Amino acid sequence: MKFSIITPTYNRADLIERAIKSMLVQTHSNFEMIIIDDSSNDDTTAVVSNFLHDSRIKLIRCEINGGVNIARNIGLECISEDSEAVTFLDSDDEFEIDALENMKIVMDLHPDINYFRFAVRHESGISASDLRHSNIKADFNYYIKNLFDIGEWVCTFRRNIIERGFAYSVDVKAFEIISYIDLSRKETVFFSKKFVRKYYTGHESISNEKLSNEKLSNTIKGYEIMLSENKDIKSISPKIFAILNYT
């Protein structure tokens, strides 16, 4: 099984080498890592270029900074024809050495599933995923009811999900959850307890920046989109609806 790993990056010259090196030591070596440089103005491109001698590492440089979702979508459009699965690695994190191997094992055990989530741990070793959801095949209702309780997971798709048109919303900054809600309407998701990613915090990023006015505005817009596109949330989970509507 060949994996395509999508890695958007912006001004990560001091961090992206760690992510790349974590790929080069994978016990499952059949992969391509597609790095999308979202018009960095530091030495990110130069750092990545040091690894391009390995044909599995690919670099796409955007002329205009379009944001992480546009960068991810560019990566999805560029996966190789022989790739069978797609997953994502942020440029400031790293994969466990057996990440792809464990993904393949789990995916082979569940040929009826196209959408997987794999566990994540902080650099301290503490789980960033709520492992109570492990080994569950979750439908749309389950996903909505646990929307804000599941924690951090690595999403992995079989190729057919991409071929059916999956893409990240470009109407809001980040907020991948909008696209995952839509996907969960169409696909059952399997939560695996296998840890595949080490999650780092403490530096500037969309996910760990403080609640600035910009982030607050973006969050409100994201929640508005979620409610407008998913009017049945209220009947499925009044609790989740109240959280979204209150914000």
Side-chain angles (χ1 to χ4, degrees):
M1 177 182 288
K2 181 174 181 178
F3 287 85
S4 292
I5 294 86
I6 308 298
T7 300
T9 188
Y10 177 70
N11 288 349
R12 287 287 184 262
D14 57 335
L15 296 171
I16 195 169
E17 183 173 337
R18 178 176 63 200
I20 297 172
K21 286 183 174 179
S22 77
M23 292 306 310
L24 296 178
V25 296
Q26 288 295 305
T27 54
H28 180 89
S29 60
N30 191 10
F31 69 86
E32 62 179 356
M33 183 183 194
I34 303 173
I35 300 170
I36 306 92
D37 183 353
D38 196 16
S39 194
S40 295
N41 52 33
D42 66 354
D43 292 329
T44 295
T45 294
V47 172
V48 175
S49 295
N50 292 330
F51 296 92
L52 296 182
H53 59 85
D54 190 315
S55 61
R56 297 172 299 176
I57 309 300
K58 303 177 180 181
L59 173 64
I60 299 169
R61 178 165 172 79
C62 302
E63 294 301 321
I64 299 174
N65 178 258
V68 65
N69 286 349
I70 290 178
R72 287 194 183 105
N73 289 342
I74 290 172
L76 291 175
E77 293 171 358
C78 294
I79 63 174
S80 297
E81 292 184 359
D82 58 343
S83 284
E84 299 172 69
V86 178
T87 190
F88 303 87
L89 176 62
D90 290 347
S91 59
D92 49 358
D93 292 336
E94 64 180 319
F95 269 168
E96 304 285 357
I97 191 171
D98 54 358
L100 299 184
E101 179 182 355
N102 281 327
M103 287 182 188
K104 182 181 184 302
I105 290 171
V106 173
M107 294 175 78
D108 286 346
L109 287 173
H110 301 279
D112 57 319
I113 300 293
N114 296 314
Y115 175 21
F116 298 82
R117 285 186 172 229
F118 292 91
V120 175
R121 65 174 121 225
H122 292 284
E123 57 181 306
S124 65
I126 297 173
S127 177
S129 311
D130 187 337
L131 297 179
R132 292 176 298 176
H133 303 286
S134 297
N135 298 321
I136 288 176
K137 293 182 178 181
D139 61 11
F140 180 70
N141 284 12
Y142 183 95
Y143 182 68
I144 292 299
K145 290 176 181 177
N146 294 279
L147 196 60
F148 296 121
D149 299 327
I150 57 177
E152 185 80 13
W153 301 77
V154 172
C155 291
T156 302
F157 311 138
R158 294 192 195 275
R159 183 189 183 93
N160 55 16
I161 285 182
I162 310 305
E163 292 176 336
R164 292 173 194 157
F166 174 86
Y168 290 95
S169 172
V170 297
D171 296 325
V172 66
K173 186 178 179 182
F175 241 85
E176 301 92 334
I177 195 172
I178 293 173
S179 299
Y180 295 148
I181 288 175
D182 181 63
L183 181 59
S184 68
R185 285 187 180 278
K186 307 166 185 174
E187 300 283 348
T188 298
V189 55
F190 179 78
F191 288 86
S192 169
K193 64 182 178 181
K194 295 284 188 181
F195 285 100
V196 300
R197 192 181 97 201
K198 192 175 291 184
Y199 180 52
Y200 291 86
T201 58
H203 49 268
E204 182 184 358
S205 74
I206 292 170
S207 60
N208 58 41
E209 69 182 17
K210 293 182 179 179
L211 194 61
S212 63
N213 288 336
E214 180 183 359
K215 184 174 183 181
L216 179 59
S217 177
N218 188 71
T219 299
I220 292 172
K221 183 177 181 181
Y223 284 177
E224 288 174 346
I225 293 172
M226 289 165 62
L227 288 174
S228 65
E229 294 182 355
N230 302 278
K231 298 187 183 301
D232 52 349
I233 286 180
K234 185 175 183 178
S235 61
I236 294 171
S237 175
K239 175 184 175 182
I240 296 299
F241 174 81
I243 294 172
L244 296 174
N245 196 47
Y246 177 77
T247 304

